[in-house]
Amino acid sequence: MNVHEFQAKELLGSYGVPVPPGAVAYAPHQAVAGACELGGESWVVKAQIHAGGRGKAGGVRVAESPEEVGRIAAELLGTRLVTAQTGPAGSVVGRVLVEPASRIARELYLGLVVDRAAQRTALIASTAGGVEIEESEAKLVRETIDPALGLQDFQCRKVAAALGLGGDLLRPAVKLMRSVYRCFVETDALQVEINPLVVTAEGELVALDAKVSFDDNAIARRPGIAALRDLDEEDPKEIDASEHGLNYIALDGSVGCIVNGAGLAMATMDAITLHGARPANFLDVGGGATPEKVSNAFRIVLTDPNVKTILVNIFAGINRCDWIAEGIVAASRELEIDVPIVARLAGTNVEEGRRILAESGLSLISTENLDEAASAAVASLGAAA
Ligand code: ADP
Ligand code: MG
Protein backbone atom coordinates (compact mmCIF):
# COMPACT_ATOMS: atom_id res chain seq x y z
CA MET A 1 0.00 0.00 0.00
CA ASN A 2 1.24 3.45 -0.91
CA VAL A 3 0.50 6.75 0.81
CA HIS A 4 0.79 10.41 -0.14
CA GLU A 5 3.86 12.54 0.48
CA PHE A 6 2.16 14.60 3.21
CA GLN A 7 1.19 11.38 5.06
CA ALA A 8 4.69 9.94 4.72
CA LYS A 9 6.16 13.18 6.07
CA GLU A 10 3.74 13.25 9.01
CA LEU A 11 4.66 9.67 9.83
CA LEU A 12 8.43 10.19 9.50
CA GLY A 13 8.09 13.44 11.46
CA SER A 14 6.45 11.55 14.31
CA TYR A 15 9.58 9.37 14.47
CA GLY A 16 11.82 12.44 14.74
CA VAL A 17 12.85 12.83 11.10
CA PRO A 18 13.12 16.59 10.31
CA VAL A 19 10.47 17.50 7.72
CA PRO A 20 9.31 20.96 6.65
CA PRO A 21 6.06 22.36 8.06
CA GLY A 22 3.22 22.09 5.57
CA ALA A 23 -0.47 22.61 4.91
CA VAL A 24 -2.71 20.24 2.94
CA ALA A 25 -5.34 21.94 0.75
CA TYR A 26 -8.31 20.55 -1.15
CA ALA A 27 -9.27 23.93 -2.63
CA PRO A 28 -7.31 27.04 -3.73
CA HIS A 29 -8.54 29.23 -0.86
CA GLN A 30 -7.29 26.64 1.64
CA ALA A 31 -3.89 26.72 -0.09
CA VAL A 32 -3.76 30.53 0.26
CA ALA A 33 -4.76 30.33 3.93
CA GLY A 34 -2.14 27.62 4.46
CA ALA A 35 0.59 29.75 2.90
CA CYS A 36 -0.35 32.75 5.07
CA GLU A 37 -0.32 30.62 8.19
CA LEU A 38 3.06 29.09 7.34
CA GLY A 39 4.48 32.56 6.68
CA GLY A 40 7.66 33.35 4.76
CA GLU A 41 8.24 34.86 1.33
CA SER A 42 8.03 31.97 -1.05
CA TRP A 43 6.29 28.61 -1.07
CA VAL A 44 6.24 25.33 -2.95
CA VAL A 45 2.90 23.89 -4.08
CA LYS A 46 3.07 20.12 -4.50
CA ALA A 47 0.50 17.85 -6.20
CA GLN A 48 -0.31 14.87 -3.95
CA ILE A 49 -0.53 11.67 -6.00
CA HIS A 50 0.87 8.21 -5.31
CA ALA A 51 3.70 8.61 -7.81
CA GLY A 52 6.99 10.39 -8.06
CA GLY A 53 8.39 12.32 -11.01
CA ARG A 54 6.07 15.23 -10.16
CA GLY A 55 8.82 17.85 -10.26
CA LYS A 56 9.61 17.18 -13.92
CA ALA A 57 5.92 16.98 -14.84
CA GLY A 58 5.01 20.41 -13.41
CA GLY A 59 3.46 19.01 -10.25
CA VAL A 60 5.87 20.82 -7.88
CA ARG A 61 5.87 24.59 -8.38
CA VAL A 62 7.34 27.61 -6.58
CA ALA A 63 5.09 30.57 -5.70
CA GLU A 64 6.31 34.04 -4.68
CA SER A 65 3.05 35.23 -3.08
CA PRO A 66 -0.01 33.69 -1.38
CA GLU A 67 -2.07 34.73 -4.46
CA GLU A 68 0.30 32.77 -6.69
CA VAL A 69 -0.05 29.79 -4.32
CA GLY A 70 -3.81 30.02 -4.94
CA ARG A 71 -3.36 30.26 -8.72
CA ILE A 72 -1.05 27.23 -8.86
CA ALA A 73 -3.36 25.23 -6.56
CA ALA A 74 -6.30 26.07 -8.87
CA GLU A 75 -4.28 24.87 -11.85
CA LEU A 76 -3.22 21.61 -10.22
CA LEU A 77 -6.37 20.56 -8.35
CA GLY A 78 -8.66 18.33 -10.38
CA THR A 79 -6.20 17.89 -13.24
CA ARG A 80 -4.77 14.59 -14.35
CA LEU A 81 -1.03 14.68 -13.74
CA VAL A 82 1.01 12.40 -15.97
CA THR A 83 4.53 11.68 -14.72
CA ALA A 84 7.17 9.15 -15.69
CA GLN A 85 5.81 6.95 -12.87
CA THR A 86 2.01 7.19 -13.34
CA GLY A 87 1.65 5.52 -16.73
CA PRO A 88 -0.08 7.28 -19.62
CA ALA A 89 -3.45 7.58 -17.81
CA GLY A 90 -1.94 9.75 -15.06
CA SER A 91 -3.47 10.41 -11.64
CA VAL A 92 -6.09 13.00 -10.66
CA VAL A 93 -4.77 15.58 -8.19
CA GLY A 94 -7.24 15.70 -5.29
CA ARG A 95 -5.10 17.79 -2.93
CA VAL A 96 -1.91 19.79 -2.79
CA LEU A 97 0.70 20.25 -0.10
CA VAL A 98 1.93 23.82 0.51
CA GLU A 99 5.36 24.21 2.12
CA PRO A 100 7.72 27.11 2.67
CA ALA A 101 10.36 26.98 -0.07
CA SER A 102 13.61 25.69 1.38
CA ARG A 103 16.93 27.20 0.34
CA ILE A 104 18.74 24.12 -0.87
CA ALA A 105 22.51 23.75 -0.67
CA ARG A 106 22.76 20.02 -1.47
CA GLU A 107 20.27 17.34 -2.58
CA LEU A 108 20.95 13.80 -1.36
CA TYR A 109 19.10 10.50 -1.64
CA LEU A 110 18.38 8.15 1.29
CA GLY A 111 16.27 5.02 1.21
CA LEU A 112 15.47 1.76 2.96
CA VAL A 113 14.54 -1.20 0.78
CA VAL A 114 14.14 -4.94 1.15
CA ASP A 115 17.17 -6.55 -0.46
CA ARG A 116 15.68 -9.90 -1.53
CA ALA A 117 19.02 -11.42 -2.51
CA ALA A 118 20.53 -10.62 0.90
CA GLN A 119 17.20 -11.38 2.64
CA ARG A 120 17.72 -8.21 4.65
CA THR A 121 16.73 -4.59 4.77
CA ALA A 122 19.30 -2.33 3.16
CA LEU A 123 20.04 1.33 3.72
CA ILE A 124 20.93 2.97 0.42
CA ALA A 125 22.15 6.47 -0.21
CA SER A 126 23.57 8.69 -2.92
CA THR A 127 25.03 12.17 -3.23
CA ALA A 128 23.02 12.67 -6.44
CA GLY A 129 19.56 13.25 -4.92
CA GLY A 130 16.80 15.20 -6.63
CA VAL A 131 14.81 14.85 -9.81
CA GLU A 132 17.77 13.71 -11.93
CA ILE A 133 18.65 10.67 -9.80
CA GLU A 134 17.71 8.19 -12.52
CA GLU A 135 20.10 9.82 -15.01
CA SER A 136 22.89 10.11 -12.48
CA GLU A 137 25.92 7.86 -12.53
CA ALA A 138 26.86 8.57 -8.93
CA LYS A 139 27.56 5.44 -6.95
CA LEU A 140 24.93 4.12 -4.57
CA VAL A 141 26.18 3.42 -1.03
CA ARG A 142 24.61 0.33 0.50
CA GLU A 143 24.58 -1.07 4.05
CA THR A 144 22.64 -4.26 4.69
CA ILE A 145 21.12 -4.47 8.15
CA ASP A 146 21.20 -7.48 10.46
CA PRO A 147 17.58 -7.79 11.70
CA ALA A 148 18.70 -9.06 15.11
CA LEU A 149 20.98 -6.08 15.69
CA GLY A 150 19.12 -3.38 13.81
CA LEU A 151 20.82 -0.47 12.09
CA GLN A 152 24.11 0.20 13.89
CA ASP A 153 25.66 3.60 14.55
CA PHE A 154 28.86 2.67 12.72
CA GLN A 155 26.80 1.90 9.61
CA CYS A 156 25.07 5.29 9.86
CA ARG A 157 28.44 7.01 10.25
CA LYS A 158 29.76 5.18 7.21
CA VAL A 159 26.82 6.29 5.10
CA ALA A 160 27.02 9.85 6.49
CA ALA A 161 30.69 10.01 5.53
CA ALA A 162 29.90 8.79 2.02
CA LEU A 163 27.27 11.55 1.75
CA GLY A 164 29.76 14.17 2.94
CA LEU A 165 27.79 14.75 6.13
CA GLY A 166 30.57 15.43 8.63
CA GLY A 167 31.17 18.03 11.33
CA ASP A 168 27.98 19.46 12.80
CA LEU A 169 25.86 17.37 10.44
CA LEU A 170 27.16 13.97 11.54
CA ARG A 171 25.04 13.62 14.68
CA PRO A 172 21.78 14.78 13.05
CA ALA A 173 22.50 12.48 10.09
CA VAL A 174 22.98 9.42 12.32
CA LYS A 175 19.86 10.30 14.31
CA LEU A 176 17.85 10.75 11.10
CA MET A 177 18.90 7.35 9.71
CA ARG A 178 18.04 5.62 12.98
CA SER A 179 14.64 7.32 13.05
CA VAL A 180 13.88 6.30 9.47
CA TYR A 181 14.86 2.72 10.28
CA ARG A 182 12.68 2.62 13.41
CA CYS A 183 9.74 3.94 11.38
CA PHE A 184 10.39 1.32 8.68
CA VAL A 185 10.40 -1.57 11.16
CA GLU A 186 7.54 -0.42 13.37
CA THR A 187 5.14 0.21 10.47
CA ASP A 188 5.99 -2.91 8.42
CA ALA A 189 7.14 -0.74 5.55
CA LEU A 190 8.55 -2.29 2.38
CA GLN A 191 10.22 0.85 1.17
CA VAL A 192 11.09 4.32 2.39
CA GLU A 193 12.56 6.82 -0.01
CA ILE A 194 13.69 10.33 0.91
CA ASN A 195 14.55 12.10 -2.31
CA PRO A 196 15.72 14.71 -1.87
CA LEU A 197 17.18 14.74 1.62
CA VAL A 198 18.58 18.24 1.61
CA VAL A 199 21.20 20.26 3.39
CA THR A 200 19.74 23.76 3.53
CA ALA A 201 21.63 27.03 3.13
CA GLU A 202 21.21 27.36 6.91
CA GLY A 203 23.11 24.08 7.36
CA GLU A 204 20.17 21.90 8.38
CA LEU A 205 19.23 18.43 7.26
CA VAL A 206 15.59 18.17 6.04
CA ALA A 207 13.55 15.49 4.25
CA LEU A 208 11.97 17.52 1.40
CA ASP A 209 10.18 14.57 -0.22
CA ALA A 210 9.14 11.21 1.20
CA LYS A 211 7.66 8.10 -0.28
CA VAL A 212 6.68 5.15 1.93
CA SER A 213 4.99 1.91 0.93
CA PHE A 214 3.74 -0.74 3.31
CA ASP A 215 3.40 -4.50 3.27
CA ASP A 216 -0.26 -5.28 2.39
CA ASN A 217 -0.02 -8.52 4.38
CA ALA A 218 0.74 -6.58 7.57
CA ILE A 219 -1.89 -3.85 7.21
CA ALA A 220 -4.37 -5.80 9.35
CA ARG A 221 -2.19 -5.32 12.43
CA ARG A 222 -1.49 -1.63 11.71
CA PRO A 223 -4.82 0.19 11.97
CA GLY A 224 -3.03 3.56 11.98
CA ILE A 225 -1.46 2.75 8.61
CA ALA A 226 -4.65 1.21 7.17
CA ALA A 227 -6.41 4.53 7.85
CA LEU A 228 -3.99 6.27 5.45
CA ARG A 229 -5.29 4.30 2.46
CA ASP A 230 -6.60 6.49 -0.42
CA LEU A 231 -9.06 4.45 -2.48
CA ASP A 232 -9.08 7.13 -5.23
CA GLU A 233 -5.55 6.03 -6.10
CA GLU A 234 -6.53 2.38 -6.59
CA ASP A 235 -8.21 0.47 -9.44
CA PRO A 236 -11.95 0.24 -8.55
CA LYS A 237 -11.99 -3.38 -9.81
CA GLU A 238 -9.25 -4.30 -7.35
CA ILE A 239 -11.16 -2.69 -4.44
CA ASP A 240 -14.39 -4.45 -5.48
CA ALA A 241 -12.53 -7.78 -5.65
CA SER A 242 -10.87 -7.40 -2.25
CA GLU A 243 -14.28 -6.68 -0.71
CA HIS A 244 -15.46 -10.05 -2.06
CA GLY A 245 -12.43 -11.99 -0.87
CA LEU A 246 -10.99 -12.25 -4.38
CA ASN A 247 -7.40 -11.55 -5.25
CA TYR A 248 -7.55 -9.50 -8.48
CA ILE A 249 -4.86 -7.56 -10.30
CA ALA A 250 -5.67 -5.71 -13.52
CA LEU A 251 -3.35 -6.31 -16.51
CA ASP A 252 -3.47 -5.04 -20.08
CA GLY A 253 -4.32 -8.10 -22.23
CA SER A 254 -7.64 -9.44 -23.56
CA VAL A 255 -8.08 -12.90 -21.97
CA GLY A 256 -9.98 -12.63 -18.67
CA CYS A 257 -8.79 -15.31 -16.20
CA ILE A 258 -10.72 -16.92 -13.35
CA VAL A 259 -8.47 -19.35 -11.52
CA ASN A 260 -7.99 -20.88 -8.08
CA GLY A 261 -4.61 -20.50 -6.41
CA ALA A 262 -1.85 -18.02 -7.19
CA GLY A 263 0.46 -20.68 -8.66
CA LEU A 264 -2.19 -21.97 -11.06
CA ALA A 265 -3.04 -18.37 -11.97
CA MET A 266 0.59 -17.74 -12.91
CA ALA A 267 0.71 -20.97 -14.93
CA THR A 268 -2.52 -19.97 -16.69
CA MET A 269 -1.10 -16.57 -17.59
CA ASP A 270 2.04 -18.25 -18.93
CA ALA A 271 -0.03 -20.66 -21.04
CA ILE A 272 -2.04 -17.79 -22.54
CA THR A 273 1.16 -15.93 -23.38
CA LEU A 274 2.68 -19.08 -24.85
CA HIS A 275 -0.30 -19.38 -27.22
CA GLY A 276 0.21 -15.80 -28.41
CA ALA A 277 -2.26 -13.68 -26.39
CA ARG A 278 -2.06 -11.70 -23.17
CA PRO A 279 -3.99 -12.04 -19.88
CA ALA A 280 -6.37 -9.19 -18.96
CA ASN A 281 -5.98 -9.88 -15.27
CA PHE A 282 -4.76 -12.11 -12.51
CA LEU A 283 -7.68 -13.43 -10.49
CA ASP A 284 -7.44 -15.99 -7.72
CA VAL A 285 -10.84 -17.06 -6.34
CA GLY A 286 -9.07 -18.92 -3.53
CA GLY A 287 -10.10 -22.16 -1.85
CA GLY A 288 -13.70 -23.12 -1.09
CA ALA A 289 -15.10 -20.69 -3.66
CA THR A 290 -18.90 -20.54 -3.45
CA PRO A 291 -21.11 -20.06 -6.53
CA GLU A 292 -21.60 -16.41 -5.39
CA LYS A 293 -17.85 -15.84 -5.30
CA VAL A 294 -17.43 -17.26 -8.81
CA SER A 295 -20.30 -15.12 -10.01
CA ASN A 296 -18.66 -12.01 -8.51
CA ALA A 297 -15.41 -12.97 -10.20
CA PHE A 298 -17.18 -12.98 -13.59
CA ARG A 299 -18.82 -9.63 -12.86
CA ILE A 300 -15.48 -8.00 -11.97
CA VAL A 301 -13.59 -9.51 -14.92
CA LEU A 302 -16.36 -8.35 -17.30
CA THR A 303 -16.18 -4.72 -16.15
CA ASP A 304 -12.87 -4.58 -18.03
CA PRO A 305 -13.79 -3.55 -21.61
CA ASN A 306 -10.58 -5.16 -22.93
CA VAL A 307 -11.81 -8.66 -22.01
CA LYS A 308 -12.69 -10.50 -25.24
CA THR A 309 -12.80 -14.05 -23.89
CA ILE A 310 -12.85 -15.68 -20.46
CA LEU A 311 -10.76 -18.64 -19.40
CA VAL A 312 -11.84 -20.49 -16.26
CA ASN A 313 -9.14 -22.80 -14.95
CA ILE A 314 -9.93 -24.68 -11.74
CA PHE A 315 -7.96 -27.49 -10.16
CA ALA A 316 -10.30 -28.29 -7.30
CA GLY A 317 -8.86 -29.68 -4.09
CA ILE A 318 -10.67 -27.76 -1.36
CA ASN A 319 -12.82 -26.26 -4.08
CA ARG A 320 -15.72 -28.16 -5.66
CA CYS A 321 -16.17 -28.24 -9.42
CA ASP A 322 -19.97 -28.43 -9.04
CA TRP A 323 -19.99 -25.12 -7.12
CA ILE A 324 -17.72 -23.52 -9.70
CA ALA A 325 -20.02 -24.75 -12.48
CA GLU A 326 -23.07 -23.42 -10.62
CA GLY A 327 -21.29 -20.06 -10.31
CA ILE A 328 -20.57 -20.01 -14.05
CA VAL A 329 -24.20 -20.83 -14.88
CA ALA A 330 -25.52 -18.22 -12.41
CA ALA A 331 -23.13 -15.56 -13.74
CA SER A 332 -24.14 -16.17 -17.35
CA ARG A 333 -27.84 -15.88 -16.42
CA GLU A 334 -27.36 -12.65 -14.44
CA LEU A 335 -24.77 -10.88 -16.54
CA GLU A 336 -25.55 -11.32 -20.26
CA ILE A 337 -22.05 -12.49 -21.07
CA ASP A 338 -21.33 -11.82 -24.74
CA VAL A 339 -17.77 -13.15 -24.86
CA PRO A 340 -16.76 -16.79 -25.30
CA ILE A 341 -16.09 -18.82 -22.14
CA VAL A 342 -13.56 -21.62 -22.02
CA ALA A 343 -13.71 -23.80 -18.91
CA ARG A 344 -11.21 -26.33 -17.72
CA LEU A 345 -12.33 -28.08 -14.56
CA ALA A 346 -10.39 -30.82 -12.77
CA GLY A 347 -10.43 -32.36 -9.30
CA THR A 348 -13.17 -32.66 -6.66
CA ASN A 349 -16.66 -33.35 -8.07
CA VAL A 350 -15.46 -32.83 -11.63
CA GLU A 351 -18.07 -35.18 -13.16
CA GLU A 352 -20.87 -33.29 -11.44
CA GLY A 353 -19.37 -29.95 -12.54
CA ARG A 354 -19.13 -31.00 -16.17
CA ARG A 355 -22.71 -32.35 -16.06
CA ILE A 356 -24.03 -29.01 -14.73
CA LEU A 357 -22.24 -27.14 -17.53
CA ALA A 358 -23.38 -29.61 -20.22
CA GLU A 359 -27.02 -29.48 -19.09
CA SER A 360 -27.07 -25.69 -18.69
CA GLY A 361 -27.47 -25.07 -22.39
CA LEU A 362 -24.62 -22.55 -22.27
CA SER A 363 -22.42 -22.45 -25.33
CA LEU A 364 -19.09 -22.73 -23.62
CA ILE A 365 -15.99 -24.63 -24.58
CA SER A 366 -15.09 -27.33 -22.05
CA THR A 367 -11.57 -28.77 -22.11
CA GLU A 368 -9.66 -31.43 -20.19
CA ASN A 369 -6.33 -29.70 -19.63
CA LEU A 370 -4.75 -26.26 -19.36
CA ASP A 371 -2.91 -26.35 -22.67
CA GLU A 372 -6.11 -27.11 -24.63
CA ALA A 373 -7.95 -24.45 -22.64
CA ALA A 374 -5.38 -21.74 -23.33
CA SER A 375 -5.23 -22.71 -26.99
CA ALA A 376 -9.06 -22.62 -27.28
CA ALA A 377 -9.26 -19.25 -25.50
CA VAL A 378 -6.67 -17.70 -27.80
CA ALA A 379 -8.35 -19.24 -30.87
CA SER A 380 -11.69 -17.77 -29.78
CA LEU A 381 -10.07 -14.32 -29.78
CA GLY A 382 -9.07 -14.79 -33.40
CA ALA A 383 -12.57 -16.01 -34.29
CA ALA A 384 -14.13 -12.95 -32.63
CA ALA A 385 -11.77 -10.61 -34.53
P1 ADP B 1 9.11 14.38 -7.16
O1 ADP B 1 10.11 13.44 -6.57
O2 ADP B 1 7.78 13.75 -7.33
O3 ADP B 1 9.61 15.05 -8.41
P2 ADP B 1 9.80 16.23 -5.00
O4 ADP B 1 9.01 16.45 -3.79
O5 ADP B 1 11.06 15.47 -4.86
O6 ADP B 1 8.85 15.60 -6.10
O7 ADP B 1 10.10 17.67 -5.63
C1 ADP B 1 10.91 17.83 -6.78
C2 ADP B 1 11.99 18.86 -6.51
O8 ADP B 1 11.41 20.07 -6.07
C3 ADP B 1 12.93 18.46 -5.38
O9 ADP B 1 13.99 17.67 -5.85
C4 ADP B 1 13.39 19.80 -4.86
O10 ADP B 1 14.47 20.26 -5.64
C5 ADP B 1 12.21 20.71 -5.09
N1 ADP B 1 11.42 20.89 -3.85
C6 ADP B 1 10.50 20.05 -3.33
N2 ADP B 1 10.00 20.53 -2.18
C7 ADP B 1 10.63 21.70 -1.95
C8 ADP B 1 10.57 22.68 -0.91
N3 ADP B 1 9.75 22.57 0.16
N4 ADP B 1 11.38 23.76 -1.01
C9 ADP B 1 12.22 23.90 -2.07
N5 ADP B 1 12.30 23.03 -3.08
C10 ADP B 1 11.53 21.93 -3.02
MG1 MG C 1 11.27 13.36 -4.99
Side-chain angles (χ1 to χ4, degrees):
M1 187 187 97
N2 295 319
V3 297
H4 290 292
E5 174 196 7
F6 76 92
Q7 297 169 317
K9 279 177 165 166
E10 251 170 50
L11 186 68
L12 287 167
S14 73
Y15 277 86
V17 176
V19 293
V24 179
Y26 296 79
H29 73 273
Q30 290 176 338
V32 175
C36 293
E37 236 165 77
L38 290 165
E41 276 149 23
S42 55
W43 297 266
V44 177
V45 184
K46 313 183 75 175
Q48 297 298 289
I49 55 170
H50 282 187
R54 297 164 302 162
K56 281 191 165 177
V60 177
R61 311 240 286 267
V62 179
E64 305 293 347
S65 68
E67 293 70 40
E68 199 183 353
V69 167
R71 273 200 302 280
I72 295 172
E75 276 174 41
L76 289 175
L77 286 164
T79 57
R80 214 168 247 288
L81 189 64
V82 179
T83 82
Q85 295 180 19
T86 57
S91 263
V92 176
V93 181
R95 60 204 114 187
V96 293
L97 173 65
V98 182
E99 291 179 341
S102 291
R103 297 200 299 143
I104 301 172
R106 297 181 62 208
E107 290 194 303
L108 310 168
Y109 171 95
L110 188 78
L112 278 170
V113 293
V114 177
D115 181 336
R116 291 184 191 275
Q119 300 186 351
R120 291 191 170 184
T121 302
L123 177 65
I124 51 178
S126 162
T127 52
V131 296
E132 301 290 346
I133 184 129
E134 253 109 75
E135 283 72 43
S136 148
E137 289 178 2
K139 232 180 90 209
L140 220 52
V141 200
R142 171 184 293 264
E143 277 295 312
T144 52
I145 302 165
D146 184 325
L149 299 175
L151 179 63
Q152 299 288 290
D153 275 3
F154 80 88
Q155 296 182 295
C156 299
R157 286 198 297 273
K158 217 160 119 185
V159 171
L163 293 177
L165 299 172
D168 287 348
L169 282 173
L170 178 61
R171 279 169 65 97
V174 170
K175 181 166 173 276
L176 183 145
M177 289 177 221
R178 294 189 62 110
S179 301
V180 175
Y181 180 69
R182 201 158 63 80
C183 178
F184 182 94
V185 172
E186 291 183 9
T187 62
D188 294 310
L190 286 179
Q191 188 168 2
V192 176
E193 196 176 76
I194 300 176
N195 184 32
L197 169 67
V198 302
V199 181
T200 65
E202 295 79 18
E204 277 170 357
L205 210 51
V206 182
L208 269 202
D209 186 17
K211 195 168 188 298
V212 184
S213 51
F214 303 93
D215 186 346
D216 287 335
N217 296 313
I219 294 292
R221 64 175 192 178
R222 304 280 179 215
I225 302 300
L228 303 179
R229 188 169 172 195
D230 181 358
L231 295 177
D232 288 345
E233 290 276 343
E234 296 177 26
D235 186 319
K237 295 194 288 298
E238 292 179 13
I239 298 167
D240 190 357
S242 73
E243 280 167 1
H244 289 96
L246 300 162
N247 194 351
Y248 174 96
I249 294 163
L251 301 167
D252 58 5
S254 53
V255 182
C257 304
I258 296 175
V259 186
N260 72 303
L264 192 60
M266 301 296 278
T268 306
M269 290 160 59
D270 281 350
I272 291 167
T273 309
L274 200 64
H275 283 280
R278 292 174 56 76
N281 66 276
F282 167 105
L283 194 154
D284 173 10
V285 296
T290 58
E292 291 74 40
K293 213 166 170 183
V294 174
S295 189
N296 273 318
F298 268 89
R299 185 176 55 72
I300 290 163
V301 167
L302 283 167
T303 52
D304 179 351
N306 294 327
V307 168
K308 301 290 182 263
T309 188
I310 294 183
L311 170 50
V312 182
N313 183 23
I314 302 290
F315 194 99
I318 304 169
N319 275 304
R320 295 172 43 174
C321 289
D322 52 332
W323 280 14
I324 302 286
E326 276 175 30
I328 297 175
V329 174
S332 56
R333 298 238 160 87
E334 288 158 20
L335 297 169
E336 285 185 38
I337 301 174
D338 55 2
V339 298
I341 302 173
V342 179
R344 179 266 181 152
L345 303 182
T348 309
N349 295 0
V350 65
E351 299 307 330
E352 180 66 3
R354 292 213 180 112
R355 190 187 58 75
I356 292 169
L357 290 181
E359 290 175 4
S360 69
L362 289 176
S363 67
L364 53 76
I365 305 161
S366 205
T367 70
E368 301 261 331
N369 64 47
L370 170 56
D371 192 56
E372 284 170 20
S375 158
V378 176
S380 76
L381 280 179

